[in-house]
Amino acid sequence: MTVITETLVEDSRFGTLTVRLDTELGEVVVEGAAVPRIVLTRSAGIEAEEHIPVGTRAGDRLTLTVDGTQADVRPAKGRLTRRSYAVDVRHAGHVWRLLPDSVPDSRLLRDGRRLGEFTSQGNGEVSAEWRADAAPEAMDVSVGYALAAGFGTGAQPMWMLVVDAIGDLIP
């Protein structure tokens, strides 16, 4: 199923942003007057995995640029634990991580410091709630929205997956 959405988001700290998701092309674009433009793209010719909005969690098949400059994006494999759904970005001497917190939400960290929570169901619509004690910068905003739109947010805890698997085995 192809999803192409372009959503205007009113971020509480940085104003109006545009979040564009094209699942067929495998591309997420985040831009706004007060934030750097981020483009997350799946390599051409790579078959998309339908449950991942950008189409893959293979870092070598993804490109992330910040205002045209390439950054390093490293999604984890996405297996049993919530930590296995983390996505890291390294750029300009910083490391950002989007990590599932609950079934619907993921937290954004910069250099290990928690900045806020993101929610996205993989349809290109993203919401963010910044922590009161955080001072997110423009780059934090762009990275958070791009990763949430590209990979979705949240994950079930391992115990729920185990219970589901056991339930599937019982006739």
Side-chain angles (χ1 to χ4, degrees), residues 48-59:
E49 296 177 44
E50 287 189 26
H51 62 282
I52 304 167
V54 76
T56 185
R57 293 188 70 84

Side-chain angles (χ1 to χ4, degrees), residues 12-154:
S12 63
R13 306 265 177 114
F14 284 83
T16 304
L17 309 173
T18 301
V19 178
R20 182 176 188 279
L21 170 65
D22 182 331
T23 60
E24 184 175 344
L25 186 59
E27 182 177 76
V28 174
V29 178
V30 175
E31 54 193 345
V35 299
R37 183 175 196 261
I38 289 194
V39 180
L40 173 64
T41 308
R42 182 181 71 239
S43 300
I46 302 299
E47 189 173 331
E49 296 177 44
E50 287 189 26
H51 62 282
I52 304 167
V54 76
T56 185
R57 293 188 70 84
D60 61 341
R61 296 178 173 183
L62 292 167
T63 302
L64 188 137
T65 60
V66 179
D67 283 338
T69 302
Q70 190 160 341
D72 183 29
V73 60
R74 295 182 187 182
K77 299 283 184 198
R79 302 279 187 221
L80 287 177
T81 65
R82 284 185 175 157
R83 183 172 297 280
S84 75
Y85 286 91
V87 182
D88 292 338
V89 170
R90 288 172 174 77
H91 180 71
H94 295 286
V95 177
W96 289 266
R97 172 170 275 188
L98 187 70
L99 179 67
D101 248 2
S102 64
V103 174
D105 301 323
S106 291
R107 64 182 177 256
L108 179 68
L109 301 105
R110 180 188 63 222
D111 301 329
R113 183 162 187 253
R114 190 173 186 157
L115 300 173
E117 289 74 36
F118 283 80
T119 304
S120 180
Q121 296 178 359
N123 59 2
E125 295 181 19
V126 180
S127 65
E129 186 174 319
W130 301 105
R131 291 177 60 111
D133 63 343
E137 298 174 4
M139 182 67 181
D140 304 327
V141 174
S142 290
V143 167
Y145 280 93
L147 296 181
F151 297 99
T153 60

